[in-house]
């Protein structure tokens, strides 16, 4: 099932380019009105994806029938299926806010939002399990165990992921701290780190420049970086020693953090299990502090 989802994602990312090529090949067979629509579709795919059939009638001075017939000529049941192909592809490159605005513009208010969010969350988790293989997970474990100190960083909602990472890791007896972006930038805080320290960076759309710049600075100074990101083409990848790829697709105004949390919780749980006695002493000390202080 997860392999099917992965193949579907890869197919969607490449299919728009294939569709544009198919349209170009079909141009000689199209009527003058259909060529007008096809050229508009090729030149303005983002506008096309967000337009209603009435918008296109007005913009192009053509008829609904001509638009539908073009879609059918290209192998679709009608305009909505053709438009959906472009819309789904375009969403891959939208920021969460833009994505949410698109949904507000084009979704039915009667949607069952609990079911929608839960379904998207499960899809993200299943896809992330496929994207993050066991060897990468094991390598992340080794890098974490071999480090003297683990720093986590991220902006916006990723800042909360960084804090949760530090919280969980400290509970399994690791020296861990979340970097906060304030009086000092991430890069400025990295200056005093040692080469046996490790940085875990969270980078999701819209990719924050301070996080990427900090990873670049760390790489230039031979510091180890594990990046948790959504695409192998993310800018932070080139500055990372290891990538853990997760899906953060969301129907809301922010990236979904559920799949990254699964990875972080799994890492913490495995480290706690591997360092059982040390973790037990840490837990006992925490209980003592809570009761006595």
């Amino acid at each position: 099932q997860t392999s099917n989802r992965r193949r579907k994602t890869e197919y969607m990312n490449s299919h728009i380019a294939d569709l544009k090529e198919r349209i170009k090949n079909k141009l000689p067979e199209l009527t003058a009105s259909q060529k007008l629509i096809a050229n508009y579709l090729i030149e303005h795919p983002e506008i096309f994806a967000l337009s209603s059939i009435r918008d296109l009638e007005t913009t192009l001075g053509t008829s609904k029938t001509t638009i539908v017939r073009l879609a059918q000529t290209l192998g679709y049941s009608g305009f909505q299926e053709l438009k959906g192909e472009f819309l789904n592809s375009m969403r891959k490159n939208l920021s969460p806010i833009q994505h949410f605005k698109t949904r507000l513009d084009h979704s039915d208010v009667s949607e069952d939002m609990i079911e929608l969010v839960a379904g998207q969350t499960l899809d993200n988790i299943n896809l992330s399990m496929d994207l993050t293989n066991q060897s990468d997970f094991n390598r992340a474990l080794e890098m974490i165990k071999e480090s003297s100190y683990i720093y986590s960083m991220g902006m916006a909602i990723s800042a909360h992921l960084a804090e949760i990472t530090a919280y969980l890791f400290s509970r399994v007896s690791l020296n861990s701290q979340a970097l906060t972006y304030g009086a000092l930038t991430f890069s400025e805080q990295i200056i005093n780190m040692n080469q046996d320290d490790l940085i875990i960076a969270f980078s999701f759309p819209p990719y924050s420049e301070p996080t990427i710049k900090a990873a670049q600075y760390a790489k230039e100074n031979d510091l180890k970086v594990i990046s948790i990101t959504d695409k192998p083409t993310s800018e932070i990848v080139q500055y990372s020693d290891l990538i853990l790829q997760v899906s953060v697709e969301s129907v809301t105004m922010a990236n979904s953090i559920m799949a990254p949390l699964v990875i972080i919780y799994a890492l913490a749980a495995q480290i706690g299990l591997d360092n059982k006695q040390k973790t037990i002493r840490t837990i006992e000390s925490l209980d003592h502090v809570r009761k006595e202080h």
Side-chain angles (χ1 to χ4, degrees), residues 228-284:
I228 301 179
T229 188
D230 66 319
K231 293 178 183 175
T233 54
S234 299
E235 188 175 355
I236 200 168
V237 168
Q238 61 187 308
Y239 308 121
S240 306
D241 297 278
L242 177 65
I243 301 301
L244 297 177
Q245 187 181 350
V246 295
S247 177
V248 293
E249 289 292 316
S250 175
V251 297
T252 69
M253 68 294 295
N255 290 310
S256 173
I257 64 172
M258 300 309 177
L261 282 177
V262 168
I263 298 298
I264 294 302
Y265 270 81
L267 288 169
Q270 188 63 59
I271 290 166
L273 186 62
D274 293 346
N275 299 329
K276 188 182 300 184
Q277 295 306 316
K278 190 175 181 181
T279 299
I280 289 173
R281 288 196 298 271
T282 299
I283 292 171
E284 290 173 346

Coordinates of all heavy atoms in Angstrom, one line a residue, residues 228-284:
I228 N 15.6 16.7 8.6 CA 14.3 16.1 8.4 C 13.5 17.0 7.5 O 13.1 18.1 7.9 CB 13.6 15.8 9.8 CG1 14.4 14.9 10.6 CG2 12.2 15.2 9.6 CD1 13.9 14.6 12.0
T229 N 13.2 16.6 6.3 CA 12.6 17.5 5.3 C 11.6 16.7 4.4 O 11.6 15.4 4.5 CB 13.7 18.2 4.5 OG1 13.1 19.1 3.6 CG2 14.5 17.2 3.6
D230 N 10.9 17.3 3.5 CA 9.9 16.7 2.8 C 10.3 16.3 1.4 O 9.6 15.5 0.7 CB 8.6 17.6 2.7 CG 8.9 18.8 1.9 OD1 10.0 19.4 2.1 OD2 8.0 19.3 1.1
K231 N 11.4 16.8 0.9 CA 11.8 16.5 -0.5 C 13.3 16.3 -0.6 O 14.1 16.9 0.0 CB 11.4 17.7 -1.4 CG 9.9 17.9 -1.6 CD 9.7 19.1 -2.5 CE 8.2 19.4 -2.7 NZ 8.0 20.7 -3.4
P232 N 13.7 15.4 -1.5 CA 15.2 15.2 -1.7 C 15.8 16.3 -2.4 O 17.0 16.4 -2.5 CB 15.2 13.9 -2.5 CG 13.9 13.8 -3.2 CD 12.9 14.4 -2.2
T233 N 15.0 17.2 -3.0 CA 15.5 18.4 -3.7 C 15.5 19.6 -2.8 O 15.8 20.7 -3.3 CB 14.6 18.6 -4.9 OG1 13.2 18.7 -4.6 CG2 14.8 17.5 -5.9
S234 N 15.1 19.5 -1.5 CA 15.1 20.7 -0.6 C 16.5 21.3 -0.6 O 17.5 20.5 -0.6 CB 14.7 20.3 0.8 OG 13.4 19.8 0.8
E235 N 16.6 22.6 -0.5 CA 17.9 23.2 -0.5 C 18.8 22.7 0.7 O 20.0 22.7 0.5 CB 17.7 24.8 -0.4 CG 19.0 25.5 -0.6 CD 18.8 27.0 -0.6 OE1 17.7 27.5 -0.6 OE2 19.8 27.8 -0.7
I236 N 18.2 22.4 1.8 CA 19.0 22.0 3.0 C 19.7 20.7 2.7 O 20.7 20.4 3.4 CB 18.1 22.0 4.2 CG1 19.0 22.1 5.5 CG2 17.3 20.7 4.2 CD1 18.2 22.3 6.7
V237 N 19.3 19.9 1.8 CA 19.8 18.6 1.5 C 21.3 18.6 1.3 O 22.1 17.8 1.7 CB 19.1 17.9 0.4 CG1 19.8 16.6 -0.1 CG2 17.7 17.5 0.8
Q238 N 21.8 19.6 0.5 CA 23.2 19.7 0.1 C 24.1 20.0 1.3 O 25.3 19.8 1.2 CB 23.3 20.8 -1.0 CG 22.9 22.2 -0.6 CD 22.9 23.2 -1.7 OE1 23.9 23.3 -2.4 NE2 21.8 23.9 -1.8
Y239 N 23.5 20.5 2.4 CA 24.3 20.8 3.6 C 24.2 19.7 4.7 O 24.5 20.0 5.8 CB 24.0 22.2 4.1 CG 24.0 23.2 3.0 CD1 22.9 24.0 2.7 CD2 25.2 23.5 2.3 CE1 22.9 25.0 1.8 CE2 25.2 24.5 1.3 CZ 24.0 25.2 1.1 OH 24.1 26.2 0.1
S240 N 23.6 18.6 4.3 CA 23.3 17.6 5.3 C 24.1 16.3 5.1 O 24.4 15.9 4.0 CB 21.8 17.3 5.3 OG 21.0 18.4 5.4
D241 N 24.4 15.7 6.3 CA 25.1 14.4 6.2 C 24.1 13.2 6.1 O 24.5 12.2 5.6 CB 25.9 14.2 7.5 CG 27.0 15.2 7.7 OD1 28.1 15.0 7.1 OD2 26.8 16.2 8.4
L242 N 22.9 13.5 6.5 CA 21.8 12.4 6.4 C 20.5 13.1 6.3 O 20.2 14.1 6.9 CB 21.8 11.5 7.6 CG 20.8 10.4 7.7 CD1 20.9 9.4 6.6 CD2 20.8 9.8 9.1
I243 N 19.6 12.5 5.4 CA 18.3 13.1 5.2 C 17.3 12.0 5.7 O 17.4 10.8 5.3 CB 18.0 13.4 3.7 CG1 19.0 14.4 3.2 CG2 16.6 13.9 3.5 CD1 19.0 15.7 3.9
L244 N 16.3 12.4 6.5 CA 15.2 11.6 6.8 C 14.0 12.3 6.2 O 13.5 13.4 6.6 CB 15.0 11.5 8.3 CG 16.1 10.8 9.1 CD1 15.8 10.9 10.6 CD2 16.3 9.4 8.6
Q245 N 13.5 11.7 5.1 CA 12.4 12.3 4.3 C 11.0 11.9 4.8 O 10.8 10.7 5.1 CB 12.5 11.9 2.8 CG 11.5 12.7 1.9 CD 11.6 12.2 0.5 OE1 12.6 11.5 0.1 NE2 10.7 12.7 -0.3
V246 N 10.2 12.9 5.0 CA 8.8 12.7 5.6 C 7.8 13.5 4.7 O 8.2 14.4 4.1 CB 8.7 13.1 7.0 CG1 9.6 12.2 7.9 CG2 9.0 14.5 7.2
S247 N 6.6 13.1 4.8 CA 5.5 13.8 4.1 C 4.8 14.7 5.1 O 4.4 14.2 6.2 CB 4.5 12.8 3.5 OG 3.4 13.5 2.9
V248 N 4.6 15.9 4.7 CA 3.9 16.9 5.6 C 2.7 17.5 5.0 O 2.3 18.7 5.3 CB 4.9 18.0 6.1 CG1 6.0 17.4 7.0 CG2 5.6 18.7 4.9
E249 N 2.1 16.9 4.0 CA 0.9 17.4 3.3 C -0.2 17.7 4.3 O -0.4 16.9 5.3 CB 0.4 16.4 2.3 CG 1.3 16.2 1.1 CD 1.3 17.5 0.2 OE1 0.2 18.0 -0.1 OE2 2.4 17.9 -0.2
S250 N -0.9 18.8 4.1 CA -1.9 19.2 5.1 C -3.0 19.9 4.4 O -2.9 20.5 3.3 CB -1.2 20.2 6.1 OG -2.2 20.7 7.0
V251 N -4.2 19.7 5.0 CA -5.4 20.4 4.5 C -5.6 21.7 5.3 O -6.6 22.4 5.0 CB -6.7 19.5 4.6 CG1 -6.5 18.3 3.7 CG2 -6.9 19.1 6.0
T252 N -4.7 22.0 6.2 CA -4.9 23.3 7.0 C -3.8 24.3 6.6 O -3.1 24.1 5.6 CB -4.7 22.9 8.5 OG1 -3.4 22.5 8.8 CG2 -5.7 21.8 8.9
M253 N -3.7 25.3 7.4 CA -2.8 26.4 7.1 C -1.3 26.2 7.5 O -0.5 27.1 7.4 CB -3.3 27.7 7.6 CG -3.3 27.8 9.2 SD -4.4 26.7 10.0 CE -6.0 27.3 9.5
A254 N -1.0 25.0 8.0 CA 0.3 24.7 8.5 C 0.7 23.3 8.1 O -0.2 22.4 7.9 CB 0.4 24.8 10.0
N255 N 2.0 23.0 7.9 CA 2.4 21.7 7.6 C 2.0 20.7 8.7 O 2.0 21.0 9.9 CB 3.9 21.6 7.5 CG 4.5 22.3 6.2 OD1 4.0 22.1 5.1 ND2 5.4 23.2 6.4
S256 N 1.7 19.5 8.3 CA 1.3 18.5 9.3 C 2.6 18.0 10.0 O 3.6 17.7 9.3 CB 0.7 17.3 8.6 OG 0.5 16.2 9.5
I257 N 2.6 17.9 11.3 CA 3.8 17.5 12.0 C 3.8 16.1 12.5 O 4.7 15.6 13.2 CB 4.1 18.4 13.2 CG1 2.9 18.3 14.2 CG2 4.3 19.9 12.8 CD1 3.2 19.0 15.6
M258 N 2.7 15.3 12.1 CA 2.5 14.0 12.6 C 3.6 13.0 12.2 O 4.1 12.3 13.0 CB 1.1 13.5 12.3 CG 0.0 14.4 12.8 SD 0.1 14.7 14.5 CE -1.3 15.8 14.8
A259 N 3.9 13.0 10.9 CA 4.9 12.1 10.4 C 6.3 12.4 11.0 O 7.0 11.5 11.4 CB 5.0 12.1 8.9
P260 N 6.7 13.7 11.0 CA 8.0 14.0 11.7 C 8.0 13.5 13.1 O 9.0 13.0 13.6 CB 8.2 15.5 11.6 CG 7.4 15.9 10.4 CD 6.2 14.9 10.3
L261 N 6.9 13.7 13.8 CA 6.8 13.3 15.2 C 7.0 11.7 15.4 O 7.6 11.3 16.3 CB 5.5 13.7 15.8 CG 5.3 15.1 16.3 CD1 3.9 15.4 16.8 CD2 6.4 15.5 17.3
V262 N 6.5 11.0 14.4 CA 6.6 9.5 14.4 C 8.1 9.2 14.4 O 8.6 8.3 15.1 CB 5.9 8.9 13.3 CG1 6.3 7.4 13.1 CG2 4.4 9.0 13.5
I263 N 8.8 9.9 13.5 CA 10.3 9.6 13.4 C 11.0 10.0 14.6 O 11.8 9.2 15.2 CB 10.9 10.4 12.2 CG1 10.2 10.0 10.9 CG2 12.4 10.2 12.1 CD1 10.5 8.6 10.5
I264 N 10.7 11.1 15.2 CA 11.4 11.6 16.4 C 11.1 10.7 17.6 O 12.0 10.3 18.4 CB 11.0 13.0 16.8 CG1 11.6 14.0 15.7 CG2 11.6 13.5 18.1 CD1 13.1 13.9 15.5
Y265 N 9.8 10.3 17.8 CA 9.4 9.4 18.9 C 10.1 8.1 18.7 O 10.5 7.4 19.7 CB 7.9 9.3 18.9 CG 7.2 10.3 19.8 CD1 6.9 11.6 19.3 CD2 6.8 9.9 21.1 CE1 6.3 12.5 20.1 CE2 6.2 10.9 21.9 CZ 5.9 12.1 21.4 OH 5.3 13.1 22.2
A266 N 10.2 7.6 17.5 CA 10.8 6.3 17.2 C 12.3 6.3 17.6 O 12.8 5.4 18.2 CB 10.6 5.9 15.8
L267 N 13.0 7.4 17.2 CA 14.4 7.5 17.5 C 14.6 7.6 19.0 O 15.4 6.9 19.6 CB 14.9 8.8 16.9 CG 15.1 8.8 15.4 CD1 15.4 10.2 14.9 CD2 16.3 7.9 15.0
A268 N 13.7 8.4 19.7 CA 13.9 8.5 21.2 C 13.6 7.1 21.8 O 14.3 6.7 22.8 CB 12.9 9.5 21.7
A269 N 12.6 6.4 21.4 CA 12.2 5.1 22.0 C 13.3 4.1 21.8 O 13.6 3.4 22.7 CB 10.9 4.6 21.4
Q270 N 13.9 4.1 20.6 CA 15.0 3.1 20.3 C 16.2 3.4 21.1 O 16.9 2.5 21.7 CB 15.3 3.1 18.8 CG 16.2 2.0 18.4 CD 15.6 0.6 18.6 OE1 14.6 0.3 18.1 NE2 16.3 -0.2 19.5
I271 N 16.5 4.7 21.3 CA 17.7 5.1 22.1 C 17.5 4.7 23.5 O 18.3 4.2 24.2 CB 18.0 6.6 21.9 CG1 18.5 6.9 20.5 CG2 19.0 7.1 23.0 CD1 18.4 8.4 20.1
G272 N 16.2 5.0 24.0 CA 15.9 4.6 25.4 C 16.1 3.1 25.6 O 16.5 2.7 26.7
L273 N 15.7 2.3 24.6 CA 15.8 0.9 24.7 C 17.2 0.4 24.7 O 17.6 -0.5 25.5 CB 15.0 0.2 23.6 CG 14.8 -1.3 23.6 CD1 14.1 -1.8 24.9 CD2 14.1 -1.8 22.4
D274 N 18.0 1.0 23.8 CA 19.4 0.6 23.6 C 20.2 1.0 24.9 O 21.2 0.4 25.2 CB 20.0 1.3 22.4 CG 19.4 0.7 21.1 OD1 18.7 -0.3 21.2 OD2 19.6 1.4 20.0
N275 N 19.9 2.2 25.5 CA 20.6 2.6 26.7 C 19.7 2.5 27.9 O 19.5 3.4 28.7 CB 21.0 4.1 26.5 CG 21.9 4.3 25.4 OD1 22.7 3.5 25.0 ND2 21.8 5.5 24.7
K276 N 19.2 1.3 28.1 CA 18.1 1.0 29.1 C 18.5 1.4 30.5 O 17.7 2.2 31.1 CB 17.8 -0.5 29.1 CG 16.6 -0.8 29.9 CD 16.3 -2.3 29.9 CE 16.1 -2.9 28.5 NZ 15.7 -4.3 28.5
Q277 N 19.6 1.0 31.0 CA 20.0 1.3 32.4 C 20.2 2.8 32.6 O 19.7 3.4 33.6 CB 21.2 0.6 32.8 CG 21.1 -1.0 32.7 CD 19.9 -1.4 33.6 OE1 19.7 -0.9 34.7 NE2 19.1 -2.3 33.1
K278 N 20.8 3.5 31.7 CA 21.1 4.9 31.8 C 19.7 5.7 31.7 O 19.5 6.6 32.5 CB 22.0 5.4 30.7 CG 22.5 6.8 30.8 CD 23.5 7.1 29.8 CE 24.0 8.6 30.0 NZ 25.0 8.9 28.9
T279 N 18.8 5.2 30.9 CA 17.5 5.9 30.7 C 16.7 5.7 32.0 O 16.0 6.6 32.5 CB 16.8 5.3 29.5 OG1 17.5 5.5 28.3 CG2 15.4 5.9 29.4
I280 N 16.8 4.5 32.6 CA 16.0 4.2 33.8 C 16.5 5.2 34.9 O 15.7 5.7 35.7 CB 16.2 2.8 34.3 CG1 15.4 1.9 33.3 CG2 15.7 2.6 35.7 CD1 15.6 0.4 33.5
R281 N 17.9 5.4 35.0 CA 18.4 6.3 36.1 C 17.9 7.7 35.8 O 17.6 8.4 36.8 CB 19.9 6.2 36.0 CG 20.5 4.9 36.6 CD 22.0 5.1 36.9 NE 22.8 5.4 35.7 CZ 23.3 4.4 34.9 NH1 23.1 3.1 35.2 NH2 24.0 4.8 33.9
T282 N 17.9 8.1 34.6 CA 17.4 9.5 34.2 C 15.9 9.6 34.6 O 15.6 10.6 35.2 CB 17.6 9.7 32.7 OG1 18.9 9.6 32.4 CG2 17.0 11.1 32.4
I283 N 15.1 8.6 34.3 CA 13.7 8.7 34.7 C 13.5 8.7 36.2 O 12.7 9.5 36.7 CB 12.9 7.5 34.1 CG1 12.9 7.5 32.6 CG2 11.5 7.4 34.7 CD1 12.4 6.3 31.9
E284 N 14.3 8.0 36.9 CA 14.2 8.0 38.4 C 14.6 9.3 39.0 O 14.0 9.8 39.9 CB 15.1 6.8 39.0 CG 14.5 5.5 38.7 CD 15.5 4.4 39.1 OE1 16.7 4.7 39.4 OE2 15.0 3.2 39.2

